[in-house]
Amino acid sequence: MFNRIRRLRQVAAIASISSLVAGCGVLSSDSTEEKGPIVVGTTAAPSTLDPAASWDSSWELFRNIYQTLLSYPSGTTAPEPDAAESCQFTDSTNMKYKCELREGLKFSDGHDLDAQAVKYSIDRIRKINVNGGPAGLLGSLDRVQVLNGREIVFHLNKADATFPFVLATPAMSIVDPEDYPADKLREGDGVVGSGPYTLETYDEGEKAELVKYDGYQGNAERKNGAVTIRYFQDSPTMVGALRDKELDVAFRGLAADDIVDLQADDDDELQLIEGSGTEINYLVFNPKDPMAGKTAVRKAVAQVVDRAAIAHKVYKDTVEPLYSMVPKGLTGHTTGFFDDYGDPSTSKARKILTEAGISTPVPLNLWYTSDRYGSATKGEFEELKSQLEESGLFKITLKSRPWKTYVTGYQNGEYPVFGRGWFPDFPDADNFIAPFVGKQNALGTPYVAPKITETLLPSSRAQSDRANVVKDFEEAQSILVNDARLLPLWQGRQYVAASTEISGAERALDPSTIMLVGELSRKTSW
C-alpha cells in the first residue's frame, strides 16, 4: 500500500483514525488568502436537509451547517462541548446527563438558541419518528428537562455511558423552533442552524454552497471563508473534475480503480491521503420475505460468499474482508463469521439447504443503491451474483435504485436482500450493533433480538470504562452470526484526494469520518 502511494510528491499516509484527525504536520504554511470557495466533491448527496429524518451520510453536510451540544474538535476522539459550555453525568448511575449552553447563542436567522430550543429539537425527533430515522438513537432517553435558559438535563431510562456520543451525532442538531414544525419534517431547501457555516444555496443532487457564519460559537475551526460541495453520480467523473482543477478535494465514493490510479500517479499537483477507517459494508436480509426469511437460506449465502474475492477483484485491495459487524480496531471486534463458516464452501451450503428441506436453486432478489457508495457497488453485486449462482444453489436477480428512492424502498420492507454501508455515528462497538437491532432501527427492517437489546447492550452501557464491555459485545456478535440477518462483507479505508494547494485535508476527518470542511485552506508557499 505504501509502496504504491509513495510516488505522489505530496502524500500523507495515516495509520489510524486517531492519527488521521490529529494530523501529521505533513503540510504547513497555511494561508487565509482565498481564491474563491474551496470546492469539495463527493458521491454522497444528502437525502434530506432535516436532521429529524436522517440516519445516513446527510450528516456530512449537517456537521458543517448545524450545531450539536457536543462534537469532535480536530485531533480528539471523545466528544467535547460545542453549543454547550459544559456537559457531564451528574449521578453515579449514568442516568442523568446535564449540559449548560454557551451564553448568547444565536441561530443564523437571529433567533435565540436556548435550552428550550435544545429540548424542542430532541423531542421533535421522537415525535416525528421517521421510520429508519434517528429516533432509534434515543432509546435510552426518558425525558428532557429545561432548568433555565441555559441548562438542560437528559433523564435516561437506563444507564447509558454512550449517551454523550449520541448527543455529538449530527442527528441531534439543534434547530430553530420557529422554523421547524414540531410534528412534521421541514419542507424546502433552506436551513436555519447555528453551525460553522450557513447554507447559502442548495441544488439537490448538484451542489451546496456554504459561507462562514460569523455568529457561530463553538469549537470548530474555520480556516476558509466559503466551501462549495459538489455531488457526483460516480467516482470517475469526480476524479476527472479534480484533475481538471474544477475541484480542490474529492472525498467519499472514490472508486478502487481511481484510488489505484492516484496511488501510481506522478502528478505533482495532487495528493492522496490514506487512513484506516471503520466504514463497513454488509447485506441485510428481510425476515418477511419467503426465501430471505429462512435462516437456512441466509446461512447458505453466508457459507458461499467469498469476501476476499470481492475485496481483491472489485475493490483492488483498497478494502479488506470483514467477518463481524464490529470492525477491526474497535474494542470487542471478533471474526465470528469466519470462525463459524470458515472458507467459502458450496458443499457445506448445499448441506445446510438440504437439511432444511429447501429446493435449489433458491430465487433471491438482491438490491443495491446505484449512486450512494461509489460506482464499484454495481461491480460488487455482480460479483455476489456470480459467486452465488456458480454454486448452483441460487438464482439471483439484481436490482438497483438511486439512494433517495432506495431508502424509501427498504424502509417500506420492499427488498428481500439489500446492501448497506455504515459510517459510524461514534467510534464504539455499541454503534455497530445497537442501530441494527430492535423493532425500530436504522434499517427500517425490524430485528427482534431480546438478549442483545434487553441484556447485553444495557450491561455494556453501564460501563464507563469501555475496556470492560468486551464479553458483552462478543456474545452479541455471536447472536448476530447465528441469526445471519446481517452479513458483513468488507471494511474500508479512508481516502481523500486533493490538490497540493490544499492544506488541512489530513486533519479534516472526525472519528466518525465526517469531513470538517473548516479545516481546509489554501497554501501559497511550500
Side-chain angles (χ1 to χ4, degrees):
M1 178 62 70
F2 292 102
N3 287 336
R4 284 198 307 230
I5 211 168
R6 67 186 177 187
R7 294 174 63 189
L8 288 169
R9 182 169 296 182
Q10 296 297 327
V11 171
I14 301 139
S16 67
I17 282 293
S18 59
S19 61
L20 181 65
V21 297
C24 301
V26 174
L27 299 174
S28 59
S29 302
D30 294 349
S31 171
T32 58
E33 181 181 342
E34 290 297 324
K35 301 177 182 177
I38 290 176
V39 184
V40 177
T42 176
T43 62
S47 62
T48 177
L49 293 181
D50 192 328
S54 172
W55 200 348
D56 59 28
S57 55
S58 300
W59 290 8
E60 198 89 55
L61 179 60
F62 292 176
R63 173 61 78 207
N64 295 289
I65 59 177
Y66 291 106
Q67 194 171 19
T68 46
L69 288 170
L70 303 102
S71 65
Y72 299 93
S74 179
T76 64
T77 56
E80 295 184 6
D82 189 358
E85 187 173 85
S86 63
C87 289
Q88 62 278 318
F89 281 105
T90 60
D91 66 332
S92 59
T93 62
N94 290 340
M95 293 182 65
K96 287 185 182 180
Y97 195 72
K98 179 181 176 182
C99 289
E100 182 174 356
L101 293 173
R102 297 175 187 263
E103 288 190 53
L105 291 173
K106 298 279 187 182
F107 288 107
S108 56
D109 61 2
H111 295 158
D112 290 339
L113 191 167
D114 56 16
Q116 286 291 349
V118 175
K119 174 177 169 58
Y120 181 91
S121 301
I122 303 300
D123 288 346
R124 178 175 180 266
I125 293 170
R126 298 203 293 176
K127 186 171 185 178
I128 296 175
N129 196 23
V130 171
N131 184 27
L137 285 166
L138 295 170
S140 64
L141 178 62
D142 180 29
R143 62 188 176 91
V144 184
Q145 177 188 14
V146 171
L147 297 183
N148 55 49
R150 293 175 54 204
E151 294 184 323
I152 317 102
V153 178
F154 298 91
H155 297 267
L156 308 184
N157 52 38
K158 51 195 156 189
D160 187 359
T162 70
F163 190 71
F165 292 92
V166 172
L167 290 180
T169 66
M172 303 301 134
S173 295
I174 306 166
V175 300
D176 188 343
E178 296 188 42
D179 289 284
Y180 290 74
D183 56 358
K184 63 179 181 180
L185 298 176
R186 188 178 193 269
E187 298 179 355
D189 57 6
V191 163
V192 179
S194 61
Y197 295 84
T198 58
L199 184 61
E200 189 80 358
T201 61
Y202 181 71
D203 296 326
E204 184 175 345
E206 297 293 330
K207 66 178 179 179
E209 295 182 338
L210 281 56
V211 176
K212 183 163 66 172
Y213 172 42
D214 290 335
Y216 170 70
Q217 294 187 61
N219 54 39
E221 296 281 350
R222 275 96 53 81
K223 297 176 181 176
N224 58 69
V227 174
T228 295
I229 303 173
R230 288 183 54 190
Y231 301 111
F232 291 84
Q233 294 295 313
D234 58 71
S235 175
T237 306
M238 179 169 66
V239 173
L242 178 68
R243 292 188 183 280
D244 291 340
K245 299 184 179 180
E246 296 171 11
L247 296 180
D248 296 302
V249 179
F251 171 64
R252 192 79 79 197
L254 288 168
D257 286 341
D258 290 317
I259 292 169
V260 171
D261 286 346
L262 286 165
Q263 287 170 335
D265 206 329
D266 280 325
D267 191 342
D268 61 3
E269 295 186 349
L270 293 178
Q271 55 179 319
L272 182 68
I273 299 154
E274 175 191 345
S276 60
T278 50
E279 169 194 0
I280 68 170
N281 183 275
Y282 57 98
L283 294 179
V284 183
F285 294 87
N286 188 340
K288 294 183 179 180
D289 181 76
M291 286 295 141
K294 298 179 184 295
T295 303
V297 169
R298 302 194 297 267
K299 289 187 173 182
V301 171
Q303 186 63 74
V304 169
V305 167
D306 187 341
R307 295 167 176 81
I310 293 172
H312 181 66
K313 294 168 64 176
V314 179
Y315 290 98
K316 311 296 175 65
D317 298 319
T318 61
V319 305
E320 55 186 312
L322 181 64
Y323 297 94
S324 164
M325 289 298 289
V326 177
K328 289 171 60 177
L330 292 183
T331 299
H333 166 74
T334 69
T335 55
F337 276 92
F338 185 82
D339 298 340
D340 281 25
Y341 295 93
D343 292 324
S345 170
T346 296
S347 60
K348 289 180 180 179
R350 182 179 291 109
K351 181 179 180 182
I352 292 171
L353 294 171
T354 300
E355 290 180 350
I358 297 173
S359 300
T360 59
V362 176
L364 284 176
N365 289 344
L366 269 61
W367 283 82
Y368 64 94
T369 175
S370 57
D371 61 353
R372 188 62 166 183
Y373 305 119
S375 50
T377 304
K378 179 180 179 182
E380 175 184 348
F381 274 75
E382 289 173 343
E383 174 64 19
L384 283 168
K385 172 182 169 70
S386 176
Q387 291 179 9
L388 292 170
E389 289 191 336
E390 284 179 4
S391 73
L393 303 176
F394 298 93
K395 177 60 180 176
I396 303 299
T397 301
L398 296 182
K399 297 186 177 183
S400 66
R401 286 178 179 170
W403 178 254
K404 191 125 185 168
T405 53
Y406 184 75
V407 172
T408 303
Y410 72 66
Q411 289 177 345
N412 291 335
E414 296 177 17
Y415 311 147
V417 187
F418 60 97
R420 278 295 308 266
W422 186 253
F423 300 95
D425 304 328
F426 51 86
D428 190 282
D430 181 286
N431 195 237
F432 290 87
I433 296 175
F436 310 125
V437 296
K439 294 180 180 179
Q440 182 180 34
N441 59 42
L443 305 171
T445 304
Y447 180 2
V448 179
K451 181 63 181 295
I452 295 177
T453 57
E454 297 173 16
T455 302
L456 298 175
L457 288 176
S459 173
S460 68
R461 288 171 175 173
Q463 297 290 337
S464 297
D465 185 348
R466 306 308 285 164
N468 295 330
V469 300
V470 173
K471 289 185 178 180
D472 289 330
F473 287 136
E474 286 178 346
E475 186 173 353
Q477 288 170 89
S478 178
I479 293 170
L480 295 180
V481 171
N482 188 58
D483 292 344
R485 282 279 306 277
L486 306 166
L487 185 63
L489 297 174
W490 53 259
Q491 175 176 349
R493 302 184 182 98
Q494 294 303 317
Y495 295 92
V496 179
S499 162
T500 51
E501 291 185 359
I502 296 298
S503 178
E506 75 280 7
R507 300 187 300 272
L509 302 186
D510 77 3
S512 53
T513 70
I514 289 176
M515 179 168 281
L516 309 175
V517 297
E519 290 288 341
L520 303 173
S521 62
R522 297 191 189 280
K523 296 186 57 157
T524 57
S525 62
W526 296 111

